[in-house]
Every structure is written in structure tokens, then in C-alpha cells.
């Protein structure tokens, strides 16, 4: 049955359909080839056919969401890149200082490490990027809650 829903609801439905599709595919994978003397208790053909319908439904939902998101696609892309930058910066080695390490035998090696991009710079940048990500997410959430699309729901 087709129903007019918010994009937020359509996204939840997309996730539900994707989960059902994944489970159906796992079941088909597990039960498809069995010993003839010990047949599966699952109707694999039916589950396989259902999985194709779920796939088609998932494509339809994703397409509908994608078309509806055209006015904010720039914000969606920016949010993804901001999150990627946060992840990158959080993994950046910003170690600085004088370090001693053992080398062969009793020898000690002293190394002075310096970072071009400092820990303070990374923390400040991540903080600013996180604020931007929160702002973008709030804008996307508002759009998703107020924009209606028509999708097939159970």
C-alpha cells in the first residue's frame, strides 16, 4: 500500500527493508544447497523470490528519498565530508616531545618528535567541525521531518 510519509519515516522504512533483505539473503545462502537426504525445512524458492521483491522495494524507497533530497544534497555531501575530516583528524598522530627508546643492548636512543599540525590545532578544528556537523544534522533532520514522500509500506 502506498502512503505519504516524512523522509524521516521513509529512512526508517528503508533500514527495515534493508534488514529484512539481508536476513532473507542469509537464509537463502545457508539453506540453498543441502543434502538431498536431509532437505531444508525452509521454502528457499519462496524466500529467494521474496528477497527479489524486497530488493525492488529497497531500490524504490532509496530512489524516492534521493529525488526528494535534491534541494539539500549539498548539505548531505558536506556532512559526510565533515564527518570524514573529523575521523581523519582524530586518527592523526600529533605526538610531540623528547622520547627515549631502547636500542640493542644498553644503548638508549633519544628522539625529539615535533608535529606540524599540533594537538591543540586538531582539537580546535575537530570542535569547530563537530559544531558544523551538528548544525548540518539539525537542518537535515528538520528537512526530513517536514518533507513528505510517497512510498510503499507494509
Amino acid at each position: 500500500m502506498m502512503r505519504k510519509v516524512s523522509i524521516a519515516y521513509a529512512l526508517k522504512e528503508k533500514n527495515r527493508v534493508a534488514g529484512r533483505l539481508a536476513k532473507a539473503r542469509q537464509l537463502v545462502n545457508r539453506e540453498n544447497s543441502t543434502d538431498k537426504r536431509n532437505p531444508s525445512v525452509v521454502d528457499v524458492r519462496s524466500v529467494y523470490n521474496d528477497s527479489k521483491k524486497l530488493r525492488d522495494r529497497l531500490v524504490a524507497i532509496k530512489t524516492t528519498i534521493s529525488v526528494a533530497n535534491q534541494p539539500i544534497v549539498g548539505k548531505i555531501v558536506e556532512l559526510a565530508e565533515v564527518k570524514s575530516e573529523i575521523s581523519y583528524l582524530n586518527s592523526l598522530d600529533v605526538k610531540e616531545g623528547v622520547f627515549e627508546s631502547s636500542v640493542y643492548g644498553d644503548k638508549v636512543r633519544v628522539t625529539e618528535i615535533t608535529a606540524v599540525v599540533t594537538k591543540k590545532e586538531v582539537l580546535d578544528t575537530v570542535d569547530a567541525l563537530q559544531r558544523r556537523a551538528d548544525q548540518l544534522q539539525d537542518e537535515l533532520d528538520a528537512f526530513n521531518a517536514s518533507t513528505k514522500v510517497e512510498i510503499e509500506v507494509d
Side-chain angles (χ1 to χ4, degrees):
M1 153 179 82
M2 297 297 282
R3 197 169 108 192
K4 199 162 194 122
V5 298
S6 68
I7 291 177
Y9 183 90
L11 288 165
K12 289 178 185 176
E13 185 66 13
K14 172 192 68 92
N15 292 338
R16 283 191 285 271
V17 171
R20 289 174 52 201
L21 176 58
K23 284 181 182 177
R25 285 177 172 170
Q26 286 175 339
L27 186 58
V28 171
N29 278 345
R30 187 178 65 238
E31 299 292 329
N32 187 50
S33 294
T34 59
D35 185 331
K36 218 173 185 172
R37 296 168 292 176
N38 188 19
S40 177
V41 294
V42 175
D43 183 350
V44 175
R45 175 59 62 190
S46 176
V47 174
Y48 177 69
N49 289 338
D50 288 346
S51 75
K52 291 193 279 185
K53 291 175 190 168
L54 287 168
R55 180 207 59 220
D56 292 345
R57 187 166 162 214
L58 186 58
V59 167
I61 293 170
K62 285 181 168 185
T63 301
T64 299
I65 292 169
S66 181
V67 169
N69 277 335
Q70 287 307 303
I72 59 162
V73 73
K75 292 176 193 266
I76 294 169
V77 171
E78 183 183 357
L79 179 59
E81 291 308 316
V82 166
K83 287 179 175 181
S84 175
E85 183 77 5
I86 290 169
S87 178
Y88 164 69
L89 288 172
N90 282 331
S91 70
L92 185 63
D93 185 359
V94 292
K95 177 173 49 179
E96 290 189 293
V98 177
F99 299 91
E100 293 182 358
S101 58
S102 296
V103 188
Y104 302 103
D106 293 334
K107 292 184 180 181
V108 173
R109 185 166 130 193
V110 176
T111 307
E112 186 173 354
I113 306 285
T114 184
V116 175
V117 181
T118 65
K119 184 170 189 153
K120 180 181 180 344
E121 183 180 356
V122 166
L123 291 173
D124 291 346
T125 303
V126 166
D127 186 52
L129 287 169
Q130 188 60 59
R131 283 194 306 276
R132 179 63 180 151
D134 293 343
Q135 176 190 5
L136 288 165
Q137 189 63 63
D138 288 347
E139 291 174 26
L140 295 178
D141 289 346
F143 182 86
N144 289 344
S146 64
T147 304
K148 301 294 184 191
V149 294
E150 194 167 307
I151 63 168
E152 182 181 332
V153 293
D154 288 335

